[in-house]
């Protein structure tokens, strides 16, 4: 039986692109250097790449779901200009305490819940136990642990502030360095498999 593919689950703000508080303007999307290279190399290695992002600014009435989609289009445009591609982008617009229904909701998609990862796993045949979560917040790392994925905290975005209070499997300077670490783990798996050990 096919054990399922490896997935790379990436937080968006502060991980792929520069953190801007409640980013809603496509013109303010700016890639962190090396992000596109990391994603392109993962694409080339046959790893599915997903964005999983909490966007409670919707529940808080700060921006709309249309704004999120516009930001995602811009993000994909900037990545595509460097040959990188996202397999899917998932977002949670909810908040448990703020805003009107349907956005004020205790949902299963808001990180550190695993709803977005499980949806991707089902749609794309991803094996979460062999997959990785990369993010700049402890909630990203908790999401990964909750889904039994490997976890890497990046020191971009809120990473430096968050680092003392969370226990990721690995800490990396940025997404590109996080990918280099993950790539080594994947290569090791492949070589141990092909050597039959
Ligand atoms: Mg973030
Ligand atoms: Zn949600």
């Amino acid at each position: 039986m096919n054990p399922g593919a490896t997935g790379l689950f990436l937080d968006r703000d502060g991980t792929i692109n520069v953190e801007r508080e409640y980013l809603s303007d496509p013109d303010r999307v700016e890639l962190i250097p090396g992000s596109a290279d990391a994603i392109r190399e993962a694409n080339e290695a046959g790893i599915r790449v997903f964005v999983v992002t909490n966007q409670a600014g919707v529940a808080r009435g700060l921006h709309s779901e249309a704004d999120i989609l516009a930001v995602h289009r811009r993000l994909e445009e900037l990545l595509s200009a460097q040959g990188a591609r996202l397999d899917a982008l998932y977002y949670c617009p909810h908040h448990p305490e703020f805003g009107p229904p349907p956005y004020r909701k205790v949902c299963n998609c808001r990180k550190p819940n695993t709803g977005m990862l499980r949806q991707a796993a089902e749609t794309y045949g991803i094996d979460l136990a062999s997959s990785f979560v990369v993010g700049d917040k402890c909630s990203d790392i908790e999401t990964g642990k909750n889904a039994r994925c490997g976890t890497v905290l990046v020191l971009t975005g809120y990473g430096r502030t968050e680092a003392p209070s969370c226990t990721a499997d690995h800490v990396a300077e940025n997404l590109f360095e996080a990918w280099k670490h993950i790539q080594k783990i994947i290569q090791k798996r492949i070589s141990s498999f092909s050597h039959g050990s």
Side-chain angles (χ1 to χ4, degrees), residues 1 26 38 44 85 100 103 106 113 131 137 149 159 171 174 187:
M1 195 186 136
E44 289 164 355
R85 181 180 46 77
Y103 295 121
V106 177
N113 297 313
S131 296
K137 284 192 179 172
C149 299
V171 178
N174 52 40
Q187 281 167 351

Side-chain angles (χ1 to χ4, degrees), residues 7-191:
L8 184 54
F9 294 95
L10 306 178
D11 169 54
R12 194 191 80 183
D13 302 320
T15 300
I16 300 175
N17 53 278
V18 175
E19 168 68 43
R20 316 252 194 233
E21 217 45 41
Y22 296 109
L23 173 62
S24 63
D25 177 357
D27 292 339
R28 300 189 71 220
V29 179
E30 184 188 341
L31 293 178
I32 293 170
S35 287
D37 300 306
I39 294 169
R40 188 187 59 247
E41 289 189 18
N43 295 151
E44 289 164 355
I47 311 295
R48 298 271 199 191
V49 185
F50 305 101
V51 164
V52 287
T53 178
N54 282 356
Q55 293 298 329
V58 175
R60 291 170 180 272
L62 298 170
H63 54 76
S64 68
E65 290 198 61
D67 294 328
I68 296 178
L69 297 177
V71 165
H72 286 180
R73 271 196 300 276
R74 181 65 182 146
L75 181 62
E76 291 192 290
E77 218 172 75
L78 292 172
L79 289 171
S80 158
Q82 296 189 55
R85 181 180 46 77
L86 298 166
D87 286 281
L89 300 91
Y90 296 91
Y91 65 89
C92 165
H94 308 115
H95 194 282
E97 291 149 41
F98 296 103
Y103 295 121
R104 188 184 65 230
K105 180 183 170 183
V106 177
C107 64
N108 63 16
C109 43
R110 182 174 165 83
K111 294 180 285 184
N113 297 313
T114 57
M116 295 189 280
L117 284 69
R118 282 187 279 113
Q119 197 186 329
E122 193 174 312
T123 307
Y124 293 88
I126 302 298
D127 173 36
L128 291 176
S130 69
S131 296
F132 300 88
V133 172
V134 182
D136 69 319
K137 284 192 179 172
C138 297
S139 58
D140 297 310
I141 301 311
E142 283 169 44
T143 308
K145 290 183 187 294
N146 290 340
R148 303 188 193 289
C149 299
T151 55
V152 182
L153 181 80
V154 286
L155 295 176
T156 48
Y158 288 104
R160 250 170 241 289
T161 327
E162 297 266 311
S165 40
C166 50
T167 51
D169 297 336
H170 185 75
V171 178
E173 205 55 42
N174 52 40
L175 178 54
F176 186 73
E177 297 303 326
W179 160 247
K180 286 291 142 192
H181 172 77
I182 291 166
Q183 187 182 39
K184 262 187 226 142
I185 296 175
I186 292 171
Q187 281 167 351
K188 246 183 236 164
R189 278 186 202 154
I190 293 168
S191 78

